[in-house]
Amino acid sequence: MTDRTSGEPPVTGAKGPDELRRQIERTRSELGDTVEELAGKMDVKGRARARAADLRDKAGAMTVQLRSSAAQAGHTVHDRATQAGHKVQDKAVQSGHKVQDRTLQAGHVTQGKASQASAALERRAEHSVPRPARPLVMAAIRHPRPTLIVGAAVATVVVVSWRYPKK
């Protein structure tokens, strides 16, 4: 039996015993190949195993690809979050500097006004306070904190003595 699709000329007959043996050997080989092909097509279980192995390989490759994509996305998100954090930090530093500058400016303005008020109080004290009390009033104007503390203590003593008189 010969394969007419192989492109070989059809065999008409053997011209001798050696050629006949060669034809028989070739026919056996072709028949063996054909039987193997048919057995492979009939082996449903083996084909299913091969298909399952192919699908497992594809699934493994997809898993690796998905993990790689997820890792890359994670790195991208991390980089963007870091950049956003730096931007927020820079804005916070700028805002802090603005607040600090404005506070410093307000402090200078307040200090200037306090100096003006103190100078005005000193001028008034020099002209309106009697001479014997003038050094005490000037010290109180120049150093208000101790004066306030002493005044609060005196006021406390007066209130307590008035509220709880000795019997």
Side-chain angles (χ1 to χ4, degrees):
M1 190 162 150
T2 61
D3 187 7
R4 303 211 178 224
T5 59
S6 66
E8 295 178 11
V11 179
T12 54
K15 300 215 176 155
D18 289 333
E19 189 177 337
L20 183 62
R21 284 189 193 105
R22 279 192 301 258
Q23 286 179 355
I24 290 173
E25 201 53 46
R26 188 174 54 221
T27 305
R28 279 186 186 154
S29 172
E30 288 173 5
L31 254 168
D33 292 342
T34 305
V35 168
E36 280 183 29
E37 286 177 27
L38 287 174
K41 287 182 180 179
M42 297 303 292
D43 185 18
V44 175
K45 200 175 196 180
R47 287 189 353 207
R49 283 184 188 147
R51 178 76 174 145
D54 286 345
L55 290 175
R56 269 194 305 273
D57 291 345
K58 284 182 182 179
M62 289 178 89
T63 301
V64 169
Q65 185 178 6
L66 286 174
R67 284 183 181 165
S68 173
S69 297
Q72 188 176 12
H75 289 302
T76 302
V77 167
H78 180 266
D79 291 344
R80 287 184 180 169
T82 302
Q83 289 174 352
H86 288 306
K87 285 181 182 178
V88 167
Q89 186 177 13
D90 290 344
K91 296 268 186 184
V93 167
Q94 289 174 354
S95 297
H97 286 306
K98 284 181 183 178
V99 167
Q100 191 176 20
D101 291 344
R102 288 180 183 165
T103 305
L104 186 61
Q105 197 173 27
H108 286 306
V109 168
T110 304
Q111 187 178 11
K113 288 187 178 188
S115 294
Q116 289 174 355
S118 175
L121 276 173
E122 283 184 25
R123 279 192 307 272
R124 242 195 235 161
E126 285 178 7
H127 298 302
S128 63
V129 175
R131 272 199 195 269
R134 194 175 293 167
L136 185 62
V137 171
M138 295 301 278
I141 291 172
R142 287 189 186 117
H143 306 289
R145 189 174 296 158
T147 305
L148 289 174
I149 293 170
V150 169
V154 169
T156 304
V157 167
V158 169
V159 169
V160 169
S161 64
W162 178 68
R163 180 98 168 137
Y164 305 105
K166 283 189 172 180
K167 293 183 183 176

